[in-house]
Amino acid sequence: MPSAESDVRKRIWIFDTTLRDGEQSPGATMTVEEKLEMSDALVDLGVDIIEAGFPAASPGDFEAVQLIAERVKGATVAGLARANRNDIERAAKAIEGAESARIHTFIATSDIHMEHKLKMSREELIARVSDMVTLAKSFTSDVEFSAEDATRSDWDFLVQVFDTAIKAGATTLNVPDTVGYTTPAEYANLMAHLQEHVPGIDDVIISVHCHNDLGMGTANTLAAIAAGARQAEVTINGIGERAGNTALEEVVMALATRGEQFGRAYTNIRTDRIVPISRRLSGITGLEVQVNKAIVGDNAFAHEAGIHQDGMLKNRTTYEIMNPEDVGWEGTRLVLGKHSGRAGFRSGLADLGIKLDDEEMQAAYEQFLQLADKKKRVTAADLVALVQNQQETKDDVYTLRQWKVDIASGEPTAVSIVLGHRDETLVGNAEGNGPVDALFMAIGAAAGIEPSLEYYHVEAVTPGYDAQGQVHVRIKYQDAIYTGHGLATDIVEASARAYLDAMSKIETGDSSTVLAATTSVSRWS
Ligand code: KIV
Ligand code: ZN
């Protein structure tokens, strides 16, 4: 029985689509292992629904959704499906092991999409919605229906579509702003129109899903919440198609800070997990968070101007509307050294929301000690990178044994490399245009394959001369893309490790994208 307090306050369901809409964006593709790691972190964060992927898109997507569905406890797992029989059956199969399973089916309702993409009449579309929501409902009681491009659809037609979806059994109706076109006032009016005209809408959840093409994703989502929407579809760091989706951290903290402006709306998110999960996602994808990004950017709580610093010293509330500790910045200030000991290391990881089993903890601790020998101050960012790197590379079949680089101005760079590969030792030599080029060619020569390099990114995990370099690579081999991560205090070594991680995935078949299989379905948002 809800208390009087919760009757008055308005619970907003957080539907996280980092692993589906977010993962769909360029550069954000994740392997199955990485998706599992993220789904654990999302459960820890307290999201209500995890959209785990689009099972019909590829066997890899299907497998990831299936594994997430079997693993997640305490949150609903949703699988996305276009409104067709094959997609819905694939989604149903993928989520069948979930403690709480949702099928999320969608079809576009705007004239632009119906005429140019679907080539369907309104009557045909209504019949399709009825049939496909009914089909989805035969697999699970929890069915979400989305009217893709709702904000550019005819409002009265939208009423008919949603009426049909409710009659066929949909329990959540999503009103996506697929192309980031709407404005806060217009979106709020659309919410009011739907609530006034769709029969039975008060018995289902209205959901909002906004893209950020005009930078209004968060404003639109909040306007819709104030106007009666009860579910917000969001991603960590706002990743997603084109300019991205609405950022989870922005909506959650706007409601936590100014909930009274939105009908006393609140979420069940553990806000102190926000910064750690943001860092984890950018570590996995290599997509950096912009420094001035609200809540999670490095400068979000930095005060530079003298007048601001003066005010802050007198009283924090002069210039701070949120407490940085409440969103998890405290853990990020942690500093350890080699004398911190195992207990300090373990509690540092716990503060960052990182859980490891005994074997992983031991391996991470040994790597921490090695790092603490090279670097006096091991920070939270170092720890996150270290653990992530350990998780990423633990199954690598290629290992780095030795490397040598000869470099001088005006001459080609020469690299010699010695690798371990299962029980063999492989040796490669190459000359190239700089150390990274020569290094990757030498590795290719040792392994006897020549993938092409699609993306290379190096960043320092922390400031300072002794910083660890973190390298992300994407390589292409036989129409599939493989990602690799490498970490070391030397960037040549970090580059070699990243390349070997990606090469290992070629051998184990752990691609993040199979190009031929996904291009036909991945370009809508
Ligand atoms: O942006 C969109 O319309 C979507 C739907 C599939 C919900 O992502
Ligand atoms: Zn979308």
Side-chain angles (χ1 to χ4, degrees), residues 144-155:
E144 172 168 338
F145 169 74
S146 283
E148 190 191 8
D149 206 17
T151 53
R152 291 193 300 166
S153 303
D154 175 78
W155 286 15

Side-chain angles (χ1 to χ4, degrees), residues 91-401:
K93 185 107 201 91
I95 57 165
E96 71 188 1
E99 183 184 76
S100 166
R102 172 178 298 187
I103 295 178
H104 175 194
T105 186
F106 74 97
I107 192 162
T109 51
S110 65
D111 289 341
I112 304 178
H113 279 240
M114 282 163 56
E115 185 185 333
H116 299 292
K117 184 179 84 175
L118 300 173
K119 306 203 185 313
M120 281 175 101
S121 67
R122 290 188 173 189
E123 293 67 34
E124 286 167 331
L125 192 127
I126 294 275
R128 177 76 74 87
V129 170
S130 176
D131 290 350
M132 292 305 125
V133 173
T134 306
L135 176 67
K137 192 77 181 180
S138 69
F139 295 110
T140 170
S141 59
D142 187 348
V143 174
E144 172 168 338
F145 169 74
S146 283
E148 190 191 8
D149 206 17
T151 53
R152 291 193 300 166
S153 303
D154 175 78
W155 286 15
D156 291 329
F157 179 55
L158 213 45
V159 167
Q160 280 179 49
V161 172
F162 282 142
D163 178 24
T164 306
I166 292 179
K167 291 200 171 102
T171 41
T172 300
L173 297 182
N174 186 27
V175 191
D177 184 29
T178 304
V179 290
Y181 179 73
T182 199
T183 63
E186 182 185 62
Y187 207 31
N189 286 340
L190 176 55
M191 295 296 132
H193 183 83
L194 294 173
Q195 287 168 93
E196 197 178 325
H197 295 99
V198 178
I201 199 161
D202 292 343
D203 302 326
V204 302
I205 298 278
I206 302 179
S207 173
V208 286
H209 175 117
C210 297
H211 282 265
N212 213 18
D213 300 64
L214 292 172
M216 291 193 282
T218 299
N220 288 335
T221 299
L222 291 170
I225 288 174
R230 297 297 294 264
Q231 174 178 285
E233 305 202 354
V234 288
T235 61
I236 305 294
N237 297 339
I239 66 167
E241 280 282 348
R242 306 179 310 277
N245 288 63
T246 302
L248 176 145
E249 58 276 10
E250 293 177 6
V251 171
V252 167
M253 289 317 293
L255 296 183
T257 312
R258 303 301 315 274
E260 84 288 351
Q261 292 294 315
F262 306 100
R264 300 199 65 205
Y266 72 100
T267 72
N268 267 9
I269 294 296
R270 288 186 62 186
T271 59
D272 63 337
R273 293 284 169 249
I274 286 179
V275 171
I277 196 170
S278 156
R279 290 297 172 272
R280 224 138 160 205
L281 179 68
S282 67
I284 287 177
T285 57
L287 296 177
E288 276 182 73
V289 175
Q290 121 200 10
V291 288
N292 59 333
K293 167 88 179 59
I295 324 291
V296 294
D298 276 346
N299 290 353
F301 292 90
H303 301 272
E304 189 73 21
I307 191 168
H308 288 207
Q309 290 182 351
D310 180 53
M312 283 290 292
L313 290 173
K314 290 179 175 141
N315 188 319
R316 286 174 81 135
T317 58
T318 49
Y319 286 102
E320 226 163 61
I321 57 162
M322 288 168 278
N323 198 337
E325 282 71 41
D326 291 348
V327 294
W329 277 105
E330 188 173 35
T332 66
R333 299 213 178 106
L334 166 106
V335 176
L336 299 173
K338 67 176 162 197
H339 302 299
S340 304
R342 197 181 290 268
F345 176 70
R346 199 180 275 274
S347 100
L349 291 184
D351 280 353
L352 293 165
I354 298 175
K355 293 191 200 108
L356 298 178
D357 64 28
D358 289 348
E359 203 180 312
E360 291 167 340
M361 182 67 79
Q362 180 57 28
Y365 185 60
E366 282 163 19
Q367 285 187 18
F368 160 72
L369 290 178
Q370 283 174 23
L371 178 63
D373 264 341
K374 294 189 191 146
K375 200 172 182 285
K376 260 207 286 221
R377 292 156 52 84
V378 176
T379 66
D382 286 317
L383 281 192
V384 171
L386 182 148
V387 170
Q388 210 142 42
N389 187 62
Q390 180 201 344
Q391 302 286 349
E392 290 291 337
T393 57
K394 64 178 192 261
D395 300 323
D396 280 4
V397 293
Y398 288 100
T399 54
L400 181 65
R401 295 208 178 137

Side-chain angles (χ1 to χ4, degrees), residues 24-138:
Q24 216 170 288
S25 60
T29 48
M30 295 175 226
T31 63
V32 173
E33 274 292 314
E34 291 165 344
K35 289 183 187 171
L36 289 173
E37 188 187 328
M38 275 307 294
S39 68
D40 288 351
L42 288 167
V43 171
D44 187 46
L45 177 70
V47 305
D48 300 293
I49 301 109
I50 297 176
E51 185 162 56
F54 177 21
S58 72
D61 277 53
F62 179 88
E63 187 198 352
V65 177
Q66 194 168 44
L67 290 172
I68 292 169
E70 282 161 8
R71 182 174 175 120
V72 163
K73 302 285 169 257
T76 296
V77 176
L80 183 71
R82 286 168 296 185
N84 68 53
R85 178 169 289 277
N86 175 62
D87 276 28
I88 291 173
E89 286 175 352
R90 292 293 284 163
K93 185 107 201 91
I95 57 165
E96 71 188 1
E99 183 184 76
S100 166
R102 172 178 298 187
I103 295 178
H104 175 194
T105 186
F106 74 97
I107 192 162
T109 51
S110 65
D111 289 341
I112 304 178
H113 279 240
M114 282 163 56
E115 185 185 333
H116 299 292
K117 184 179 84 175
L118 300 173
K119 306 203 185 313
M120 281 175 101
S121 67
R122 290 188 173 189
E123 293 67 34
E124 286 167 331
L125 192 127
I126 294 275
R128 177 76 74 87
V129 170
S130 176
D131 290 350
M132 292 305 125
V133 173
T134 306
L135 176 67
K137 192 77 181 180
S138 69

